[in-house]
Amino acid sequence: MTLRGLVIAYFQYPAIIGYLLAATIAIGLFFLYPAPLVPTLASIAISVLVYPLVWYCLHRWVLHSRWMFKVPFLASTWKRIHYDHHQDPNRLEILFGALHTTLPTIALATAPIGYALGGTGAALAAFATGLITTCVYEFFHCIQHLAYKPKRKWVVAMKARHMAHHFHDERGNFGITNYFWDRLFGTYYERIEKDRKSETVFNLGYTPEVAERYPWVAQLSGGVATGHPSQRIPH
Ligand SMILES: [Zn+2]
Ligand SMILES: [Zn+2]
Ligand SMILES: [Zn+2]
């Protein structure tokens, strides 16, 4: 796949179209409820800085936590937003999060910061920043999962770290575009450092034994798949 092919594929994902549409609306509303320059710029800057930390926390302690599948009404959400992605990392229909979970999360993570700094206008600027940052994250996530060979060294390294999260050990490398918080919290690793593969890298701890007690995800998935994704029957 060429970079051009990747860009074309990327802009066809409904989630990306949804984010860009929402960002356009937020920017349009900003001009209806404008905020002064300094609080607007501050809201944008803080949103960009806070985003990787929020993503790290959600990915590590929500998506990879082992409590969501234990709660009946959260099981289907957990399955959709992360279990399925780890079960089958090459399945592109579920590469992106579901808008009904991501949009409120992005709004909650960014808009209050903007609101505190400059009212409605700055809240809209912060929200738009969160949406655009999400598009950047998802673009790199596409590079990581699509059959595209990056040329730049830093992109190659970024892809290798995320592939290790999917195929080697899911308990590390939680960042997608930067691993600053992984380094700070000690979850950053390169594949060579850990020679033993995690046994839960594809099922995230949702094993057949666990499924006996908490059956909801298994019921929705038609059982618990074991083994390497490439060995499973294609759906
Ligand atoms: Zn991934
Ligand atoms: Zn993950
Ligand atoms: Zn498939």
Side-chain angles (χ1 to χ4, degrees):
M1 178 179 257
T2 61
L3 186 61
R4 209 184 115 85
L6 181 111
V7 170
I8 292 169
Y10 170 79
F11 281 109
Q12 280 170 9
Y13 283 106
I16 297 304
I17 298 168
Y19 293 135
L20 293 175
L21 214 71
T24 309
I25 293 168
I27 293 166
L29 284 172
F30 172 84
F31 288 102
L32 273 179
Y33 307 96
L37 185 67
V38 173
T40 301
L41 291 180
S43 306
I44 293 170
I46 295 173
S47 298
V48 169
L49 287 173
V50 153
Y51 195 99
L53 175 62
V54 173
W55 166 249
Y56 180 91
C57 294
L58 288 175
H59 192 191
R60 181 171 178 185
W61 289 298
V62 177
L63 301 178
H64 281 274
S65 65
R66 296 184 177 186
W67 55 267
M68 272 185 96
F69 59 70
K70 297 178 181 165
V71 186
F73 69 94
L74 291 177
S76 71
T77 303
W78 180 71
K79 168 182 154 62
R80 167 61 187 85
I81 61 180
H82 218 56
Y83 174 72
D84 282 349
H85 180 50
H86 273 266
Q87 277 279 295
D88 201 344
N90 299 321
R91 223 179 112 199
L92 300 176
E93 322 90 83
I94 41 146
L95 186 54
F96 301 119
L99 289 181
H100 69 276
T101 59
T102 52
L103 287 179
T105 310
I106 297 163
L108 274 173
T110 55
I113 301 168
Y115 193 78
L117 292 171
T120 306
L124 288 162
F127 181 46
T129 306
L131 292 164
I132 292 164
T133 309
T134 303
C135 290
V136 174
Y137 264 62
E138 297 292 31
F139 183 73
F140 284 102
H141 202 207
C142 259
I143 290 183
Q144 288 157 346
H145 285 284
L146 296 180
Y148 166 71
K149 252 181 122 78
K151 287 170 199 82
R152 286 169 203 275
K153 244 181 152 175
W154 62 275
V155 188
V156 173
M158 190 195 279
K159 181 164 181 164
R161 295 298 89 75
H162 190 62
M163 285 301 102
H165 173 75
H166 274 292
F167 292 97
H168 196 70
D169 194 331
E170 82 285 12
R171 294 162 299 189
N173 294 349
F174 293 105
I176 295 263
T177 63
N178 79 77
Y179 296 94
F180 173 81
W181 295 103
D182 282 286
R183 288 175 196 274
L184 203 80
F185 288 126
T187 51
Y188 179 85
Y189 73 92
E190 291 185 16
R191 202 182 272 244
I192 330 114
E193 294 164 15
K194 287 190 173 186
D195 39 31
R196 246 170 58 99
K197 208 179 124 162
S198 160
E199 275 166 22
T200 51
V201 71
F202 300 121
N203 65 26
L204 310 185
Y206 191 72
T207 59
E209 299 78 62
V210 172
E212 271 172 37
R213 233 186 122 189
Y214 307 103
W216 306 290
V217 171
Q219 280 163 6
L220 293 165
S221 315
V224 184
T226 47
H228 195 278
S230 64
Q231 257 106 58
R232 276 180 232 136
I233 328 137
H235 359 256

